[in-house]
Amino acid sequence: MSAFEIVERDTRDRLGEGPLWSPRDNALYWVDILGCALNRFDLAGGDVTRWTLAEPIGWVIERAPGDGFIAGLQSGFAELRLDPLKVTPFHDPEPELPANRMNDAKADDAGRIWAGTMPFDCEGASGSLYRLDPDRRVTRVDTGYTIANGPALMPGGEHLFHTDSKLGHVYRYRITDDGSLHDRSIFLDFADSDGTPDGMTFDAEGGLWIALWGAGRIERYAPDASLDRSIALPASQLTSCAFAGADLDRLFVTSAAEDDTASPHAGALFEVDAGVRGFAPRQFAS
């Protein structure tokens, strides 16, 4: 393939986010937050299916029992099943903050979900980072975020990376066995001219791939935080990325069309030739 390809479909995403590779379904799932929709790209047949929900959805993560997903909605955590679509909310972590919503999440090796929240208008530091344990207990592990974004687990699971896009900071935390976070430090600090760090993922070699909102590129950073690679795409507002496919060598990148009238492919889903492989996403253990 060329440096990138565009997945052909009828609908562009107002705010594409949260790509998730499903070995179970041989498909890539991702959300359109402002479009209140979940998308699925069938890697075998090339078909794209779209489900519309009643509220904004920030992410989905597969459940280990093999049926359905856990989803992050504006109203909180929910179980989600497809064909037919059924959404069952089970916990709102912020009932006192109805103007907040969930934004991006990942599961770790222990089957827990790490999920951030943020104000819908991207103003004020009312967002937090939460841990959802397999027993459905929810714990706030950090707070004070304006745009909580892109949790990513380093291969091996000892460190969690999380972003406040408003500040341009990518934080690194040490995770202990009980799921507590320690030793927060700034792994990367982006100036406004560099673009805004958004969703991210690790490859199997420990490289951190970050989608840069407003910059029209994704970048790979080595474990020492040095810039290793930069790939430009024809959409300014790139939002997240995930490896997919049987060999985990297909890197997909989401984007947003909202407020982007200049980019020729704003809101498209891209497939990028990254030259490295990822590792399989973890599932929620309940």
Side-chain angles (χ1 to χ4, degrees):
M1 63 182 291
S2 60
F4 69 87
E5 293 180 356
I6 297 172
V7 176
E8 295 297 333
R9 55 199 174 101
D10 296 331
T11 303
R12 293 285 174 87
D13 296 314
R14 290 179 61 191
L15 181 53
E17 257 285 11
L20 172 76
W21 159 237
S22 170
R24 178 184 70 195
D25 298 338
N26 191 29
L28 182 87
Y29 289 89
W30 78 101
V31 302
D32 181 351
I33 297 174
L34 297 181
C36 302
L38 173 65
N39 302 301
R40 179 179 66 198
F41 173 47
D42 179 0
L43 267 63
D47 296 329
V48 176
T49 306
R50 186 175 174 96
W51 293 266
T52 300
L53 285 79
E55 62 178 300
I57 176 172
W59 50 267
V60 293
I61 289 175
E62 286 188 322
R63 298 178 61 202
D67 55 347
F69 304 84
I70 300 297
L73 307 177
Q74 182 172 7
S75 59
F77 297 98
E79 291 185 7
L80 185 149
R81 296 175 185 270
L82 300 175
D83 302 324
L85 177 65
K86 181 181 180 181
V87 178
T88 308
F90 64 85
H91 184 78
D92 180 358
E94 298 175 341
E96 76 285 4
L97 296 170
N100 272 16
R101 65 171 177 84
M102 289 208 159
N103 190 59
D104 225 343
K106 292 281 173 42
D108 67 12
D109 291 346
R112 303 171 294 215
I113 290 177
W114 302 86
T117 62
M118 58 173 283
F120 211 103
D121 63 3
C122 303
E123 298 295 335
S126 63
S128 295
L129 175 62
Y130 293 91
R131 188 188 70 240
L132 173 64
D133 292 324
D135 62 3
R136 306 294 177 95
R137 180 182 59 182
V138 176
T139 303
R140 179 181 289 162
V141 293
D142 200 9
T143 193
Y145 288 86
T146 301
I147 305 177
N149 234 320
L153 281 301
M154 179 175 272
E158 294 89 359
H159 292 92
L160 172 79
F161 289 68
H162 196 230
T163 294
D164 190 331
S165 298
K166 187 74 169 183
L167 300 177
H169 295 339
V170 177
Y171 298 109
R172 169 178 161 149
Y173 304 80
R174 179 173 58 86
I175 307 174
T176 56
D177 290 342
D178 65 358
S180 58
L181 299 182
H182 303 272
D183 306 330
R184 186 175 90 164
S185 62
I186 295 177
F187 179 72
L188 292 169
D189 185 12
F190 288 81
D192 290 344
S193 58
D194 297 330
T196 300
D198 206 306
M200 54 192 178
T201 191
F202 276 98
D203 61 39
E205 299 174 3
L208 180 63
W209 291 83
I210 303 177
L212 294 178
W213 177 277
R217 65 182 187 274
I218 58 171
E219 293 184 337
R220 182 184 190 265
Y221 288 84
D224 64 358
S226 61
L227 177 61
D228 173 76
R229 202 170 313 168
S230 182
I231 300 174
L233 294 172
S236 173
Q237 296 171 169
L238 303 177
T239 56
S240 194
C241 48
F243 288 92
D247 296 322
L248 290 163
D249 59 351
R250 302 174 68 177
L251 182 63
F252 289 89
V253 182
T254 52
S255 69
E258 189 78 358
D259 299 327
D260 185 355
T261 59
S263 301
H265 299 291
L269 175 68
F270 301 93
E271 182 178 353
V272 174
D273 184 5
V276 293
R277 297 186 181 190
F279 61 96
R282 304 306 186 240
Q283 297 175 319
F284 181 60
S286 172

PDB file of all heavy atoms in Angstrom, residues 14 31 55 72 81 102 161 285:
ATOM      1  N   ARG A  14     -18.174  13.391  12.486  1.00  0.00           N
ATOM      2  CA  ARG A  14     -18.042  14.729  13.063  1.00  0.00           C
ATOM      3  C   ARG A  14     -16.880  14.750  14.049  1.00  0.00           C
ATOM      4  O   ARG A  14     -16.091  15.688  14.073  1.00  0.00           O
ATOM      5  CB  ARG A  14     -19.337  15.140  13.758  1.00  0.00           C
ATOM      6  CG  ARG A  14     -20.502  15.411  12.820  1.00  0.00           C
ATOM      7  CD  ARG A  14     -21.745  15.786  13.590  1.00  0.00           C
ATOM      8  NE  ARG A  14     -21.531  17.015  14.382  1.00  0.00           N
ATOM      9  CZ  ARG A  14     -22.375  17.458  15.305  1.00  0.00           C
ATOM     10  NH1 ARG A  14     -23.483  16.778  15.582  1.00  0.00           N
ATOM     11  NH2 ARG A  14     -22.112  18.587  15.971  1.00  0.00           N
ATOM     12  N   VAL A  31     -15.812   5.215  17.281  1.00  0.00           N
ATOM     13  CA  VAL A  31     -17.009   6.000  17.577  1.00  0.00           C
ATOM     14  C   VAL A  31     -16.967   7.335  16.848  1.00  0.00           C
ATOM     15  O   VAL A  31     -15.913   7.808  16.425  1.00  0.00           O
ATOM     16  CB  VAL A  31     -17.160   6.247  19.094  1.00  0.00           C
ATOM     17  CG1 VAL A  31     -17.224   4.927  19.854  1.00  0.00           C
ATOM     18  CG2 VAL A  31     -16.036   7.113  19.636  1.00  0.00           C
ATOM     19  N   GLU A  55     -27.166   9.249  22.714  1.00  0.00           N
ATOM     20  CA  GLU A  55     -26.315  10.249  23.351  1.00  0.00           C
ATOM     21  C   GLU A  55     -24.883  10.074  22.864  1.00  0.00           C
ATOM     22  O   GLU A  55     -24.541   9.049  22.259  1.00  0.00           O
ATOM     23  CB  GLU A  55     -26.376  10.119  24.875  1.00  0.00           C
ATOM     24  CG  GLU A  55     -25.879   8.778  25.408  1.00  0.00           C
ATOM     25  CD  GLU A  55     -25.922   8.709  26.919  1.00  0.00           C
ATOM     26  OE1 GLU A  55     -25.242   9.535  27.565  1.00  0.00           O
ATOM     27  OE2 GLU A  55     -26.626   7.826  27.461  1.00  0.00           O
ATOM     28  N   GLY A  72     -18.389   3.929  27.017  1.00  0.00           N
ATOM     29  CA  GLY A  72     -18.342   5.177  27.763  1.00  0.00           C
ATOM     30  C   GLY A  72     -19.246   6.193  27.105  1.00  0.00           C
ATOM     31  O   GLY A  72     -18.961   6.664  25.993  1.00  0.00           O
ATOM     32  N   ARG A  81     -24.618  -3.992  23.497  1.00  0.00           N
ATOM     33  CA  ARG A  81     -24.690  -5.142  22.605  1.00  0.00           C
ATOM     34  C   ARG A  81     -25.190  -4.691  21.240  1.00  0.00           C
ATOM     35  O   ARG A  81     -25.908  -3.695  21.132  1.00  0.00           O
ATOM     36  CB  ARG A  81     -25.616  -6.220  23.183  1.00  0.00           C
ATOM     37  CG  ARG A  81     -25.130  -6.814  24.500  1.00  0.00           C
ATOM     38  CD  ARG A  81     -26.156  -7.781  25.063  1.00  0.00           C
ATOM     39  NE  ARG A  81     -25.777  -8.265  26.379  1.00  0.00           N
ATOM     40  CZ  ARG A  81     -25.058  -9.348  26.603  1.00  0.00           C
ATOM     41  NH1 ARG A  81     -24.638 -10.070  25.567  1.00  0.00           N
ATOM     42  NH2 ARG A  81     -24.753  -9.731  27.829  1.00  0.00           N
ATOM     43  N   MET A 102     -17.605  11.251  28.852  1.00  0.00           N
ATOM     44  CA  MET A 102     -16.446  10.371  28.772  1.00  0.00           C
ATOM     45  C   MET A 102     -15.712  10.601  27.457  1.00  0.00           C
ATOM     46  O   MET A 102     -16.323  10.915  26.434  1.00  0.00           O
ATOM     47  CB  MET A 102     -16.869   8.917  28.909  1.00  0.00           C
ATOM     48  CG  MET A 102     -17.321   8.560  30.308  1.00  0.00           C
ATOM     49  SD  MET A 102     -17.029   6.817  30.671  1.00  0.00           S
ATOM     50  CE  MET A 102     -17.059   6.911  32.464  1.00  0.00           C
ATOM     51  N   PHE A 161       0.005   5.797  30.318  1.00  0.00           N
ATOM     52  CA  PHE A 161       0.219   7.128  29.772  1.00  0.00           C
ATOM     53  C   PHE A 161      -1.150   7.767  29.549  1.00  0.00           C
ATOM     54  O   PHE A 161      -2.081   7.120  29.056  1.00  0.00           O
ATOM     55  CB  PHE A 161       1.000   7.061  28.462  1.00  0.00           C
ATOM     56  CG  PHE A 161       2.443   6.688  28.637  1.00  0.00           C
ATOM     57  CD1 PHE A 161       2.796   5.414  29.064  1.00  0.00           C
ATOM     58  CD2 PHE A 161       3.452   7.596  28.385  1.00  0.00           C
ATOM     59  CE1 PHE A 161       4.125   5.050  29.244  1.00  0.00           C
ATOM     60  CE2 PHE A 161       4.787   7.255  28.552  1.00  0.00           C
ATOM     61  CZ  PHE A 161       5.129   5.978  28.991  1.00  0.00           C
ATOM     62  N   ALA A 285     -12.697  -7.625  32.074  1.00  0.00           N
ATOM     63  CA  ALA A 285     -12.825  -8.987  32.604  1.00  0.00           C
ATOM     64  C   ALA A 285     -14.140  -9.230  33.324  1.00  0.00           C
ATOM     65  O   ALA A 285     -14.182  -9.874  34.376  1.00  0.00           O
ATOM     66  CB  ALA A 285     -11.652  -9.288  33.537  1.00  0.00           C
TER      67      ALA A 285
END
